[in-house]
Amino acid sequence: MSTTTLPPAPAADAPPAKIRRRVLPSPVTGQELVLIGVIAALWLLLGLFTNGFFTELTLISLLGYMAPVAAIGIGMTIIIITGGIDVSVAAGTMVCAVIVAKTMVNYETSVPVLVLIAVAVGAVLGLINGVLIAYGRVQAIIITFGTANLFQFVGLQIFGSNTVNGIPRDLKVFGIGAEGRVLGLPLAFVITIVLAALAWVYLRHTAGGRHFYAVGGDAHAARLAGVRVQRRQMLAYVITGALVGLAACFTIGLGTSTVQQNIGSGTELAAIAAVVIGGTSIMGGRGSVLGTILGALLVQTVSTGVTQLKWPSQLSDLFVGIAIVIAVGADLLRERARKNKSRRAR
């Protein structure tokens, strides 16, 4: 799961083994190693300066609460690799959550069916974004800003009131209580890690996955090479939408028996922060699912640390904002160095 820059991909089959070895970098990049070091240092400091960081409850809560952001971050990584962005995921989370909550209150429904409903609704929302962006050829941030308002309006109409009350405990399997653990870890976290591994294999070891990098690196060259650019762009938003639906189930499982209209609020910024801090280039063509998972872990560690130290919660946003600025600045410097090297090589 490494930061990967690929030339325009061939149309169909994977390149020969020698070429594949040459273009695929090592499994872990320098930025990911830096993130691992920063997280380890933060954990050490929090262990020294707080009384309860290395307790089971704190660590389980940290992993459980990072799961929704990390799950959406997997899809957001693919979108940003293609050169796009999606700021409608918070509104999408709200729509999926209220539909699932009302289904649970009004009908006796099993957890797998609830998850399928949420994933299907999220995928439809993602399809709307994908079609408008890929075939409408409008900037992704403009389209998703518009659909964010549209999705929010639809969600509020479904709510009908400020909250949905009396939600059964079925989705507590995605919470941080005893019923939501597998091998001692939150089930939502385990599912997210499995999805991240599948995404890594898909992006790194399949021709279809490498086409996403080709689209983000140079869409025109990718199209000339036979890549179906619009389909790849649309698929990225559908995948993200489906993951938004899953994250909505995780979020309901973490909450109480009430779902409020602000559920999912701020998710889009947290997910984008995890992706950018994780090393995915905001300009497309390069990205790493491992980096995104580490970025989500860093963001949640900062939030947990601020809480443990009893500091004002606004400091969490400040620290994450500083990390984003540093990550984007480093990305721009890397891109400038890459272009200069390419120019000198001609």
Side-chain angles (χ1 to χ4, degrees):
M1 285 185 261
S2 61
T3 302
T4 307
T5 304
L6 296 177
D13 298 332
K18 287 184 178 179
I19 297 176
R20 192 163 58 246
R21 284 196 297 270
R22 179 167 56 83
V23 298
L24 292 180
S26 60
V28 180
T29 66
Q31 179 154 340
E32 290 160 356
L33 290 174
V34 169
L35 278 175
I36 292 171
V38 170
I39 293 169
L42 283 176
W43 282 37
L44 178 62
L45 291 172
L46 289 171
L48 290 173
F49 293 103
T50 66
N51 294 324
F53 184 76
F54 282 115
T55 62
E56 180 183 4
L57 178 60
T58 300
L59 295 177
I60 290 293
S61 297
L62 191 156
L63 297 179
Y65 279 95
M66 72 165 270
V69 171
I72 296 174
I74 294 170
M76 191 70 78
T77 302
I78 300 174
I79 285 179
I80 293 180
I81 283 173
T82 65
I85 198 165
D86 187 349
V87 297
S88 71
V89 294
T93 301
M94 191 259 273
V95 173
C96 295
V98 67
I99 290 176
V100 168
K102 290 227 166 184
T103 302
M104 293 176 71
V105 170
N106 296 321
Y107 305 98
E108 187 174 339
T109 313
S110 66
V111 171
V113 173
L114 290 169
V115 172
L116 285 176
I117 291 173
V119 168
V121 171
V124 170
L125 300 181
L127 180 63
I128 293 171
N129 280 331
V131 168
L132 291 173
I133 291 166
Y135 295 96
R137 301 194 178 187
V138 182
Q139 288 293 325
I141 192 166
I142 296 173
I143 290 292
T144 56
F145 183 75
T147 54
N149 287 279
L150 173 64
F151 296 161
Q152 186 175 29
F153 175 80
V154 171
L156 293 175
Q157 297 307 305
I158 298 173
F159 258 103
S161 61
N162 291 332
T163 60
V164 179
N165 300 310
I167 298 173
R169 293 177 54 83
D170 303 41
L171 290 181
K172 286 296 178 184
V173 293
F174 298 132
I176 57 175
E179 67 270 55
R181 298 185 191 180
V182 174
L183 302 175
L185 298 171
L187 174 60
F189 173 76
V190 173
I191 292 173
T192 301
I193 295 302
V194 171
L195 291 174
L198 293 174
W200 175 72
V201 171
Y202 177 64
L203 289 171
R204 186 179 169 87
H205 292 290
T206 70
R210 290 193 291 275
H211 287 174
F212 288 111
Y213 291 100
V215 170
D218 189 334
H220 179 66
R223 189 175 287 108
L224 293 177
V227 176
R228 295 176 174 175
V229 172
Q230 290 164 317
R231 286 192 183 185
R232 288 291 134 192
Q233 290 173 325
M234 186 175 66
L235 180 59
Y237 288 90
V238 172
I239 291 172
T240 303
L243 291 171
V244 165
L246 181 63
C249 294
F250 291 171
T251 306
I252 293 175
L254 289 166
T256 63
S257 61
T258 298
V259 167
Q260 298 182 343
Q261 291 180 348
N262 65 351
I263 187 170
S265 176
T267 305
E268 74 280 27
L269 295 178
I272 292 170
V275 174
V276 173
I277 292 172
T280 296
S281 173
I282 200 72
M283 290 171 286
R286 289 184 287 115
S288 157
V289 172
L290 173 59
T292 297
I293 297 299
L294 292 172
L297 182 58
L298 178 61
V299 170
Q300 191 58 47
T301 296
V302 169
S303 176
T304 301
V306 168
T307 302
Q308 289 268 316
L309 292 166
K310 296 182 172 55
W311 290 351
S313 60
Q314 295 85 349
L315 286 178
S316 176
D317 296 332
L318 173 64
F319 294 145
V320 172
I322 292 172
I324 292 173
V325 170
I326 293 173
V328 171
D331 179 48
L332 292 174
L333 290 175
R334 280 198 304 268
E335 182 66 15
R336 182 180 299 174
R338 189 182 67 82
K339 287 182 177 178
N340 289 338
K341 183 178 179 181
S342 176
R343 195 177 297 117
R344 287 194 298 269
R346 290 174 186 169

